[in-house]
Amino acid sequence: MDAVSLSTLLAAAALAGWVDAVVGGGGLLLLPALLVAAPGLPVATALGTNKLAAIFGTATAAATYARRTKVDWRVAGPAAGLAVLSAGVGAALAGAVPASAYRPVVLVVLVAVAVFVLLRPRLGVVAAPQRRTPVRVAAVIAVAGVGIALYDGLIGPGTGTFLVLAFTALVGADFVHGSAMAKVVNAGTNLGALVVFGMTGHVWWLLGAGMAVCNIAGAVLGARMALRRGSGFVRVVLLVVVVALVAKLGHDQWLAR
């Protein structure tokens, strides 16, 4: 890999760390950057190398949030534990499920998310603790720790965004606290997937380590900015990331053929 490609990739890792720390979706930047910078790199290896960088960024962001705001560990803890196992299963199946099988479904879900957030301008801006019932807590643990984590192991981009929406919509967290819990669970999904990709030889360790350093720097900056600017800022970034994800997946589905 030449110096220009490496520099571009490291910059993409830093930006991805920032996006992931604020609202998730950093894989939207880092996975395509990996595939462009290293032509011929197997998709599974790109996914595994991305997970190596991302786990350091998400863990750093989770620690930053935990030091500066309250994390609901009774929700985030069980979800993260399930996420390690579910993401590992997803990673094991990553080569068996073609992207064309689930891309249209993800597109529909993302469009629905964008419409939902636009039509409910107060969602996530102010906490709604009355939604935190035992049934909803169990539901969000299952959705985040099983459903979304399985998706992260399979492909990944948008996982953090889905997690934030799950915590805000199901248990009434505001966007800042939803992001904090999302980082904890996302660290679990990255760990589960990384273990499987590493065991199957699909991690470029040296490159991933360099990307991890840049991802950490971006994650610290993003988490601090989200905490300082509040839920309104996170909501705007969320909508931008969702629109970008829709554009990227739509391009892959219909134009890149």
Side-chain angles (χ1 to χ4, degrees):
M1 184 180 295
D2 59 60
V4 173
S5 296
L6 180 59
S7 299
T8 302
L9 196 53
L10 294 178
L15 183 57
W18 185 90
V19 172
D20 264 337
V22 176
V23 76
L28 170 71
L29 300 168
L30 201 47
L31 276 174
L34 265 169
L35 294 171
V36 169
L41 186 70
V43 173
T45 304
L47 286 168
T49 306
N50 174 59
K51 291 302 177 191
L52 176 58
I55 190 172
F56 285 96
T58 51
T60 299
T64 302
Y65 277 112
R67 285 196 303 268
R68 294 170 178 247
T69 192
K70 184 178 179 181
V71 175
D72 191 342
W73 291 103
R74 290 174 295 179
V75 176
L82 284 172
V84 174
L85 299 175
S86 300
V89 172
L93 297 174
V97 182
S100 58
Y102 52 77
R103 192 182 293 134
V105 177
V106 176
L107 267 170
V108 171
V109 172
L110 283 169
V111 171
V113 164
V115 172
F116 183 69
V117 173
L118 285 170
L119 293 180
R120 301 189 64 178
R122 302 301 296 169
L123 176 71
V125 176
V126 178
Q130 69 275 12
R131 293 184 190 168
R132 198 185 181 285
T133 64
V135 172
R136 284 176 173 266
V137 167
V140 80
I141 289 173
V143 168
V146 179
I148 298 175
L150 185 67
Y151 164 79
D152 191 30
L154 279 168
I155 185 156
T159 295
T161 306
F162 292 141
L163 287 169
V164 173
L165 261 295
F167 290 124
T168 54
L170 290 176
V171 290
D174 61 50
F175 277 130
V176 169
H177 290 87
S179 288
M181 289 189 286
K183 293 316 117 198
V184 174
V185 178
N186 210 172
T189 66
N190 286 331
L191 175 60
L194 177 61
V195 168
V196 173
F197 284 127
M199 289 174 62
T200 54
H202 286 298
V203 178
W204 191 346
W205 294 101
L206 185 59
L207 176 62
M211 290 163 51
V213 174
C214 297
N215 202 257
I216 288 171
V220 170
L221 180 61
R224 290 179 177 176
M225 190 175 293
L227 287 163
R228 185 171 65 251
R229 298 197 175 187
S231 294
F233 169 72
V234 177
R235 182 177 187 273
V236 172
V237 176
L238 172 71
L239 286 170
V240 170
V241 170
V242 168
V243 170
L245 279 166
V246 169
K248 174 65 170 61
L249 291 172
H251 175 273
D252 292 346
Q253 179 69 20
W254 291 294
L255 298 181
R257 291 183 174 180

